[in-house]
Amino acid sequence: MKLKRNRKTALIIGSGVIGAYLSKLLLKKRLNIVVTTRNLKKNYKNYKKLKIQNKVNFKKLNILKKKQIKKIIILVKPDYIFYFAGVSSMTESFKKPKETLQSNYTGAKNFLEVLYDLKSKIKFFKANSAYIFDKGKIKLNSKLTRQKNPYISSQIKSYKLIKKFRQKLINSYSLIFFNIESPLRRDEFFIKKICKAVKLINKNNFKKISVGCLSTVKDYGWAPEIVEGIYLSTKLEKACDILFGTGHPMSGKNILKFAFNIKKLNYKKYIKVDPRFFRKNEKRVMIAEINGTIKKLRYKWKPKIHGRKLIIKMYKSF
């Protein structure tokens, strides 16, 4: 598929969930979309489900090869680069510590070094995790966590890297995300797991759902709303860090109540608390303070889907 010369171009690194939703939105905004992946033969299921697979240009890229990065930047001439590659699961990061560091940090470093060498003014957006911060109500000036695991360590390194290259006058932005939900999430993620289970309750093969700690309080956003904020970030003239969440807390217990109440059921009859699902050193409270984000985006963005609304949308989405 040829890129249309009269349109701006977004280069999205990685073919995951957020990249897919952002691609769908940017296509509506009449941008060219180029998505890189390690393997062109893979099934782009996220893009297929959103019915945009044939509207996107897929390119093979090894993020550890600077020559390939330079080549694709020169070829595509993107206005924006969204670095959404990387291991995104803490559990998986323990199994793949080297890949976690390479995908979350080294690949981003390679891109930034190429942009610096090219003296480029391309806007570079790196996805990051709010788990780099300590617990509680999270602001941009919140303390970084001392918790150590491959996922968080790699994200803290990339967060500092973005700031370093910003000082070198590279247009590098950190997009810091809290939990982002959508029907494209893998089935093992808590909200999707619960919503799918509730739909199966009337079937004979239903078994009790094993869950972990229900007292944790987190910030869950709706993917299509979050990418609206990402799009507005491209309008910012000055590179910065941006928090994306809802500012509304939701506990594990509330998720169960909201989901089971759709069928007017008492969740206590259908769940089993299993200590195996408890995470060591898990942060009990993680909520975004988004007033700063709302101001940065000139009051054009404020999430409306959270809490009960989010659970209902998830339940109805599959």
Side-chain angles (χ1 to χ4, degrees), residues 179-183 185-199 209 211 218-222 250-252 254-256 258-260 262 306-315 317-318:
N179 297 64
I180 302 177
E181 300 301 320
S182 80
R185 286 273 257 176
R186 297 199 301 268
D187 288 353
E188 65 265 27
F189 283 95
F190 186 63
I191 289 180
K192 187 171 184 181
K193 173 182 176 181
I194 296 303
C195 288
K196 290 193 81 170
V198 171
K199 286 202 168 187
I209 313 161
V211 298
K218 297 181 181 179
D219 191 318
Y220 298 90
W222 185 241
M250 186 160 59
S251 69
N254 281 336
I255 291 170
L256 291 173
F258 294 152
F260 280 87
I262 293 171
H306 46 77
R308 189 189 302 274
K309 284 185 179 179
L310 187 146
I311 301 303
I312 291 172
K313 284 189 76 71
M314 275 291 286
Y315 180 85
S317 65
F318 45 77

Side-chain angles (χ1 to χ4, degrees), residues 297-309:
L297 301 182
R298 299 181 179 181
Y299 301 92
K300 294 180 180 179
W301 179 84
K302 187 177 182 180
K304 298 177 181 178
I305 300 170
H306 46 77
R308 189 189 302 274
K309 284 185 179 179

Side-chain angles (χ1 to χ4, degrees), residues 97-108:
K98 183 178 179 180
E99 182 181 335
T100 299
L101 180 63
Q102 289 178 335
S103 60
N104 288 334
Y105 171 75
T106 309

